[in-house]
Amino acid sequence: MSEPTLAVIGAGPAGLAAALAAAARGIHVVLVDSAPAAGGQFYRQPAPGLGARRPQALHHQWHTWDRLRDGLGGHVRAGRVRHLTDHHVWFVERRGAAGFTVHALLGAEQEEPAEVRADAVLLATGGYEKVLPFPGWTLPGVVTAGGAQAMLKGGLVLPGRTVVVAGTGPLLLPVAAGLATAGATVAALVDSADPTGFVRRSLALAAQPGKVVEGALYAGQLARHRVRTLLHHTVVEAHGTERLEAVTVAALDRDGRVRPDTRRRLDCDTLAVGHGMLPHTDLADALGCRVDGTDVYADDEQRTDVPGVWAAGETTGIGGSALALAEGHIAGCSIAARLAGREPDPRGWAAAARTRKRLRAFFAAVDAVYAPPAHWAEQVTDETVVCRCEEVSAGAVREAVRELGAGDLRTVKLLTRAGMGWCQGRMCGPGVAGVAGCAETAVRRPFARPVPLGVLARAGENESR
């Protein structure tokens, strides 16, 4: 009888923690990831050919990465973990009592198929940035905050010489501090968060002193580099002809509307902007897992409501690396016991469960503080492109609502093609919904990424045999 196999999809903090926990308990693990090396976005490393002398300077949790990397290496050498890099998973197929088949595309070309058979699956697919449109956001030089950080961590390059970091969310602090420390001139950190929100939730935030200290350290770095911090401000417009030249920022009133008399222009060649994160749920959706709002549902063992499928990390709700590590460890312990035919003992992950509870409460408070301005869509002009793939303007979306009676995101999509392009609404969905005044609704997509027709045809042939 062969040993049970667990397929872990995603080699970020949650996936690594789960793989290590399961492998240590006798489960054969196949770690499937789209990147060329483990670590995910959080532990993104420079390519070896770049010859980084001190890559740890780009991370504040290097010792944790050391432990995860060494643990993974040990299990790989012992044959308990098989690490598949450059595997882009597009679908997970349930095969009844036979378990699951993970379908992936190989390498940068993403044209050659690969399959992994497993008895159980852990979805640790992480999250992606929430993008909200504004006039000028399509100019070269406007990048996401996470994109700017990825360029620095993975490529050791700065996105520009003079940078404005803007939007809202806890990611902005480390991005601004990292860019300033690396040599960029950070003209300003522009955050729409209302300072009174921090005061109202001070007890919940103070319950995690380590996070408060971490934020203070970043703030200290910004102060040393003389970076202006503009709280309760937002970017109104990006300016430039062939590329970004400046941005206009303004203060917000109590209701989250722009105060016109506070507008100011900041010269810059780069705008790194982000409005928080959203979980990757495509694989969970296709499997039929329950999704609550934007988060994949998981019980106390990190099990979804689909038998044999677990989920951990940002997939179940945005909460940072420490929460992802705790959830991944719990999932790995639970999976190991279930696949071995035993009832899991929660005492084996008691410490991780306490960490999970505290961090979920903390990030619930953080989410409330860092919500985008309530009236951000009022600043989006009719000429502003909101769906870049299909080049749909805000005016076209508003016309679909006002003149054609569109009352939901699906109808807006049918009438305007917004969300029908390459990203299938993953990037433009929140922006289109905001401009249309519609609720953001979950969209069930059959595949997690575009798939060549030849690959689908071969998959169908294999199924018919």
Side-chain angles (χ1 to χ4, degrees):
M1 182 178 179
S2 61
E3 60 184 351
T5 297
L6 163 66
V8 175
I9 303 174
L16 288 172
L20 267 57
R25 289 160 178 79
I27 301 300
H28 180 250
V29 177
V30 182
L31 182 61
V32 187
D33 192 50
S34 60
Q41 296 299 321
F42 188 80
Y43 295 117
R44 180 187 287 271
Q45 305 293 307
L50 294 175
R53 289 177 294 178
R54 295 183 63 250
Q56 63 269 30
L58 302 173
H59 298 266
H60 70 280
Q61 292 185 4
W62 191 260
H63 63 285
T64 303
W65 165 244
D66 273 343
R67 176 177 60 82
L68 293 170
R69 179 191 57 203
D70 294 346
L72 175 63
H75 285 304
V76 169
R77 288 189 294 273
R80 291 184 290 269
V81 174
R82 184 159 61 107
H83 183 198
L84 302 180
T85 60
D86 292 311
H87 278 58
H88 305 263
V89 177
W90 56 272
F91 187 62
V92 179
E93 179 184 5
R94 293 182 65 185
R95 304 184 68 87
F100 301 86
T101 300
V102 177
H103 297 272
L105 300 171
L106 299 180
E109 303 281 327
Q110 297 187 39
E111 292 182 354
E112 290 300 317
E115 293 183 358
V116 173
R117 299 294 178 94
D119 300 285
V121 172
L122 170 68
L123 303 176
T125 47
Y128 62 100
E129 286 187 89
K130 185 174 184 177
V131 178
L132 300 179
F134 52 89
W137 75 296
T138 57
L139 279 169
V142 180
V143 298
T144 64
Q149 188 181 57
M151 291 173 68
L152 182 58
K153 284 185 174 182
L156 301 180
V157 295
L158 294 171
R161 294 181 178 180
T162 304
V163 186
V164 170
V165 178
T168 193
L171 179 63
L172 300 188
L173 269 176
V175 169
L179 292 174
T181 302
T185 298
V186 180
L189 170 60
V190 183
D191 196 323
S192 63
D194 186 347
T196 61
F198 294 97
V199 177
R200 288 195 299 268
R201 294 166 179 84
S202 58
L203 290 178
L205 297 174
Q208 286 295 309
K211 290 292 182 182
V212 175
V213 170
E214 183 182 317
L217 290 174
Y218 287 132
Q221 291 179 37
L222 295 179
R224 285 195 297 274
H225 291 281
R226 299 181 180 180
V227 176
R228 284 183 293 176
T229 300
L230 303 176
L231 286 177
H232 214 209
H233 282 63
T234 190
V235 170
V236 176
E237 185 175 358
H239 308 281
T241 50
E242 295 184 358
R243 62 165 290 112
L244 181 70
E245 298 169 5
V247 297
T248 293
V249 302
L252 298 167
D253 64 18
R254 290 183 177 180
D255 296 325
R257 287 188 168 91
V258 167
R259 294 167 50 193
D261 58 325
T262 64
R263 293 175 182 245
R264 70 177 86 175
R265 185 181 175 106
L266 302 176
D267 292 333
C268 60
D269 58 31
T270 303
L271 170 64
V273 61
H275 293 90
M277 302 283 291
L278 292 169
H280 273 298
T281 62
D282 288 344
L283 294 177
D285 281 332
L287 278 165
C289 299
R290 171 179 151 193
V291 178
D292 294 335
T294 60
D295 307 337
V296 176
Y297 163 81
D299 67 10
D300 289 344
E301 295 181 32
Q302 299 298 140
R303 293 180 296 179
T304 71
D305 60 335
V306 174
V309 181
W310 280 252
E314 311 283 46
T315 307
T316 64
I318 304 301
S321 63
L323 177 57
L325 289 168
E327 291 185 355
H329 179 77
I330 294 168
C333 294
S334 169
I335 294 167
R338 296 286 179 186
L339 289 183
R342 302 191 308 271
E343 190 69 23
D345 184 358
R347 292 176 296 182
W349 62 74
R354 289 192 295 270
T355 297
R356 178 179 62 184
K357 181 179 180 180
R358 290 195 301 268
L359 287 175
R360 282 181 176 175
F362 174 81
F363 279 101
V366 167
D367 287 345
V369 172
Y370 283 119
H375 300 280
W376 65 264
E378 294 177 3
Q379 298 303 312
V380 181
T381 62
D382 282 349
E383 296 75 25
T384 302
V385 171
V386 292
C387 171
R388 300 177 73 164
C389 295
E390 295 294 321
E391 298 184 350
V392 180
S393 69
V397 171
R398 287 170 176 145
E399 183 181 3
V401 174
R402 186 175 57 248
E403 305 295 335
L404 303 178
D408 57 73
L409 199 55
R410 182 175 182 274
T411 306
V412 170
K413 178 178 180 178
L414 292 173
L415 292 172
T416 67
R417 293 191 60 83
M420 287 191 181
W422 184 263
C423 83
Q424 286 291 289
R426 292 171 180 84
M427 297 301 293
C428 67
V432 172
V435 169
C438 302
E440 288 184 49
T441 53
V443 179
R444 178 162 292 182
R445 305 177 182 93
F447 306 135
R449 62 179 62 248
V451 185
L453 289 176
V455 171
L456 292 177
R458 275 178 279 180
E461 291 173 0
N462 293 337
E463 184 67 26
S464 63
R465 288 173 185 169

